[in-house]
Amino acid sequence: MSNNGVPRTLRYLRAANGGLTQEQLAQRLHVSTSLIAKFETGRQIPRPDTAKKIDDLFGSAPLIDETAAEARRTAAPDWFRPLAEVEKEALTLRQFEPNVIPGLLQTEEYARAILRSGTLTPAKADEYLAVRMARQSDVFGQDDPPVCQFIIDENGLRRGDPMILRPQLEHLAEVGTDPRVLIQVAPASAGWHPGQNGQLTLASLRDGSSVGFVDDQLAGRLVTDPELVADLEHAWQAISGVALPCDQSRDLIMKLVKEL
């Protein structure tokens, strides 16, 4: 169960500021009243930008921001927390995804659709969504963000509701213009390659070490054994060998946008 102190803290701040109602708070933050209700019932955790706006409004910085950050951390599955910490500390990140767009590149609507397609309850899916959006902020919002390289199997770019997939692919094309974010596609024509064994992540850390991460239907695990990390490095090199260059990958992504 997550350690979400946001509901209690937010209710206290409203009461301490003249008994501000949920509707009044929502109006001042330019959000919906239902979103404030979700925060106060623990069904959703404020994203970093919203948490900061609440603190600015109440003059409570960094109370809500830190409380929400702790709630997001504890809302993540135990097995996933090590990767989230690694992502924040990495100098470089490399990730291959065979079936979906990587979490760090997902739009909110796409991420919500992915999370709600499984067995999670709506409330738990909303918690995980907040965690996923916060991960993006933690990685890309740094003053000196890591250099990130993503390789996505073409089949993973074709899966999903066209109304959600189109803006997601457009987002990929836009993010890929950042010189520190390299996005490549492993085309369907590449045939068999090691990436079809599943997702993998590799991170180079500030202490000079490298770690990996793999997941499956049940959970994921951090890989720190040098020999196993080397195996993942070999798989990555093989996947890189069949991936299109960034410019050709962007052309393919935009071609898929036009087809939707």
Side-chain angles (χ1 to χ4, degrees):
M1 186 173 182
S2 66
N3 181 25
N4 187 354
V6 172
R8 180 178 62 258
T9 304
L10 190 52
R11 287 194 296 268
Y12 167 79
L13 288 173
R14 284 200 299 107
N17 285 268
L20 204 66
T21 66
Q22 288 185 349
E23 183 176 9
Q24 290 169 331
L25 176 57
Q27 290 174 346
R28 296 189 186 187
L29 294 174
H30 304 291
V31 300
S32 66
T33 303
S34 64
L35 182 62
I36 300 300
K38 288 178 180 178
F39 293 160
E40 293 197 1
T41 56
R43 292 173 55 204
Q44 193 161 326
I45 303 169
R47 291 176 57 181
D49 55 345
T50 304
K52 288 182 173 63
K53 288 179 182 178
I54 296 172
D55 274 328
D56 288 344
L57 177 64
F58 288 126
S60 56
L63 183 58
I64 291 292
D65 190 23
E66 291 186 348
T67 304
E70 175 64 13
R72 287 190 295 270
R73 187 186 69 79
T74 56
D78 290 342
W79 57 264
F80 188 79
R81 291 175 198 164
L83 176 61
E85 293 302 315
V86 163
E87 288 176 339
K88 289 189 291 186
E89 299 298 325
L91 287 174
T92 66
L93 282 171
R94 290 171 289 162
Q95 187 172 77
F96 170 75
E97 280 286 357
N99 298 312
V100 296
I101 290 163
L104 289 175
L105 299 176
Q106 292 177 2
T107 63
E108 187 167 342
E109 286 304 309
Y110 180 93
R112 181 179 290 108
I114 291 289
L115 291 167
R116 291 188 175 180
S117 68
T119 59
L120 296 175
T121 64
K124 183 59 69 174
D126 284 344
E127 284 189 9
Y128 285 8
L129 177 64
V131 171
R132 187 162 299 182
M133 295 297 103
R135 282 173 56 212
Q136 296 182 9
S137 178
D138 288 341
V139 172
F140 299 123
Q142 300 180 60
D143 293 335
D144 185 22
V147 174
C148 299
Q149 183 178 5
F150 301 93
I151 301 179
I152 312 166
D153 192 278
E154 182 180 346
N155 291 325
L157 299 175
R158 295 179 177 275
R159 186 172 290 111
D161 181 338
M163 296 296 291
I164 295 174
L165 190 56
R166 183 186 179 92
Q168 170 64 78
L169 294 178
E170 291 173 337
H171 176 68
L172 274 188
E174 179 181 354
V175 173
T177 62
D178 185 329
R180 298 179 73 93
V181 182
L182 310 176
I183 299 176
Q184 296 175 258
V185 177
S189 60
W192 297 104
H193 57 78
Q196 289 166 331
N197 291 326
Q199 180 272 355
L200 72 86
T201 299
L202 286 161
S204 299
L205 306 180
R206 299 181 188 278
D207 63 4
S209 65
S210 295
V211 298
F213 187 87
V214 293
D215 63 16
D216 57 28
Q217 284 280 347
L218 297 177
R221 61 190 175 98
L222 198 66
V223 179
T224 58
D225 183 291
E227 291 187 5
L228 296 178
V229 172
D231 287 341
L232 293 179
E233 288 278 2
H234 295 155
W236 175 266
Q237 292 301 323
I239 298 167
S240 298
V242 301
L244 297 173
C246 291
D247 56 346
Q248 293 180 28
S249 294
R250 188 177 189 278
D251 290 344
L252 176 55
I253 290 170
M254 295 310 298
K255 178 176 178 291
L256 296 177
V257 169
K258 293 176 182 179
E259 291 176 358
L260 292 173

